[in-house]
Amino acid sequence: ERAVAALDVRAGTQRGKPRSREPGRNPLGARVFDTACGWPMYRVPYNGSFRYSCGLYGQSSGGRCSHNTVDGPTAARFVLACVGQRVLAPSFRDKVRRKLEEKAARERGATGADPRAALEKSLAEVRRQREQAGRNLGLATTPDQFAAVSGVFDELKAREQGLERQLRSAPTPPPRDAAAEVEAAMAGLDRLNGLAADPGDLAAVGHLFAGVNVRLFIGFAKANWGKRTVNRVAGGVVTFGATPSPVPLYAGPTGRRALGGRDHEHGDACGSDSAPAREPEGSGREGDSLGNGSRADRIRTCDLLVPNQALYQAELQPVGLS
């Protein structure tokens, strides 16, 4: 009874409080997903560190999906290695520069025919035609010829005056330095290199992950651990930028009260063993609750688009995630 009372008091002090935003403590917040159910994996304290656990399993008190977890710092180091291999490699930097230069050239060609240049070209053509009509007017020998040429001359003169008015009112396009724009874009990529300089600085690593919009999708499989059967990392996918997710992501309510009335709707699809409900792993002491995407977090599309935006298949075992 004393324990329940203490838990009630603790819950009351946390109710209504926003989650803290400390990327150094949660570098993969809202960026790591369980492929079995499509839920984000939430950060939970564990043995003085932290790990990511299936959100559906926790929010359903262990009634749905499975107890799928991955060590947090190990997952962050693995994703950082993927970013270094895919995005921060020198060869990729050269590819990005070439892509940006090609894009700048295309945009310069598309906007090369600016309004003033088109008006000036049309005005020069009308003036040439008006001068020709004037010469023809001087060669007219009959009243009918003079009237016909005079009408054309007057029409061309009116068009010339109209184009001159349009040219005077047309705005002058600002000068564009494509090379400077490319360098500015490359400076953003260089800043990402600086964020990855210290793998131990998880705050900078979290900003790097947000900059390239990297996401980690992890699959689990059952394995024997002594006399116990546990779920361990079996593989996964890492995506960058606007690449679509390899599995459908859960988009419904995430509250425990909403999930409690669904009668194991996702049980079969998520590999649930119909285990008896249990209390989920807690978030630790007061103030340890971190943003995991369930409270107004949004995953933005990164400004740096990875060429081809292909899914980046990742082998997880060599870095110790198994």
Side-chain angles (χ1 to χ4, degrees):
E1 290 176 352
R2 290 196 301 272
V4 171
L7 290 175
D8 289 341
V9 171
R10 181 180 298 177
T13 59
Q14 293 296 302
R15 188 174 294 113
K17 285 186 177 181
R19 296 180 180 224
S20 62
R21 295 291 185 262
E22 298 183 26
R25 301 173 63 194
N26 192 17
L28 285 173
R31 300 191 177 279
V32 55
F33 299 85
D34 187 345
T35 59
C37 58
W39 267 63
M41 301 183 71
Y42 292 169
R43 177 198 185 276
V44 292
Y46 182 73
N47 285 347
S49 181
F50 68 94
R51 61 183 179 181
Y52 291 99
S53 177
C54 175
L56 178 58
Y57 181 82
Q59 293 297 83
S60 64
S61 298
R64 304 183 195 177
C65 202
S66 300
H67 188 215
N68 298 329
T69 63
V70 62
D71 182 69
T74 303
R77 288 194 300 270
F78 169 75
V79 174
L80 181 61
C82 292
V83 173
Q85 180 180 355
R86 177 72 172 177
V87 179
L88 303 182
S91 59
F92 178 78
R93 190 180 190 280
D94 296 337
K95 291 179 181 178
V96 170
R97 176 179 288 278
R98 288 196 296 271
K99 292 283 186 180
L100 290 174
E101 290 173 347
E102 292 172 1
K103 183 178 180 180
R106 288 195 303 269
E107 292 180 352
R108 185 168 59 249
T111 59
D114 60 87
R116 291 188 63 87
L119 288 173
E120 290 173 353
K121 184 177 180 180
S122 299
L123 180 59
E125 178 63 20
V126 169
R127 283 175 176 170
R128 185 190 66 79
Q129 295 176 0
R130 192 253 308 160
E131 292 173 357
Q132 181 66 36
R135 287 194 294 270
N136 293 337
L137 186 62
L139 298 175
T141 58
T142 65
D144 292 339
Q145 291 178 350
F146 184 86
V149 177
S150 177
V152 173
F153 181 87
D154 292 341
E155 179 184 351
L156 292 172
K157 185 63 177 178
R159 288 180 57 189
E160 179 184 5
Q161 293 173 352
L163 289 172
E164 289 176 345
R165 288 194 298 270
Q166 293 181 36
L167 187 60
R168 286 193 296 269
S169 60
T172 302
R176 183 180 181 187
D177 189 349
E181 293 178 2
V182 171
E183 290 302 327
M186 295 304 299
L189 184 60
D190 293 336
R191 285 193 294 271
L192 296 181
N193 276 285
L195 294 176
D198 183 8
D201 187 358
L202 294 183
V205 170
H207 291 304
L208 171 63
F209 292 164
V212 297
N213 192 25
V214 62
R215 294 185 296 174
L216 174 62
F217 300 86
I218 305 180
F220 297 85
K222 295 187 179 303
N224 294 325
W225 187 39
K227 296 182 179 180
R228 297 175 54 192
T229 299
V230 297
N231 294 333
R232 293 197 172 180
V233 175
V237 175
V238 176
T239 66
F240 298 91
T243 304
S245 62
V247 296
L249 298 183
Y250 178 77
T254 59
R256 294 179 184 175
R257 185 173 301 175
L259 293 173
R262 296 198 169 212
D263 298 329
H264 301 269
E265 177 181 341
H266 299 278
D268 296 337
C270 300
S272 174
D273 295 328
S274 299
R278 54 178 291 276
E279 286 300 315
E281 294 180 89
S283 60
R285 301 180 304 276
E286 292 186 21
D288 281 352
S289 178
L290 298 178
N292 288 292
S294 61
R295 297 187 184 176
D297 275 358
R298 295 292 183 270
I299 301 177
R300 72 180 182 85
T301 302
C302 77
D303 298 329
L304 177 64
L305 299 180
V306 177
N308 301 326
Q309 298 183 351
L311 295 182
Y312 181 73
Q313 301 294 337
E315 181 64 36
L316 305 187
Q317 286 85 349
V319 294
L321 281 178
S322 60

